[in-house]
Amino acid sequence: LKAIESEEASLVFVAQDADAQMIAPLKKSCENHGIQLVMVSSKTQLGQACGIDVGAAAAAILRA
């Protein structure tokens, strides 16, 4: 959320099976800051894509 609000994030990924209360602020902030939000099928899949051994509810690609 900090990366979105400080406009350091260029793209945000959110798992569809993540807790709705947790991802609602991320979705709203992405919308407010014009940052693209991509939904992925699961926290497990997102965690694997990030190279971690646990699920991830959200991840962002940061600007260089």
Side-chain angles (χ1 to χ4, degrees):
L1 188 57
K2 280 175 40 177
I4 297 167
E5 292 178 355
S6 65
E7 298 185 2
E8 292 176 34
S10 61
L11 181 63
V12 175
F13 298 90
V14 174
Q16 291 178 358
D17 62 349
D19 181 78
Q21 287 183 323
M22 186 174 130
I23 62 172
L26 293 174
K27 288 181 174 181
K28 184 168 180 90
S29 188
C30 282
E31 184 179 316
N32 290 341
H33 289 89
I35 297 171
Q36 183 181 358
L37 182 94
V38 177
M39 298 300 291
V40 297
S41 61
S42 70
K43 294 184 289 190
T44 301
Q45 180 186 27
L46 187 54
Q48 288 173 345
C50 293
I52 58 176
D53 294 330
V54 295
I61 295 179
L62 303 179
R63 300 180 195 277

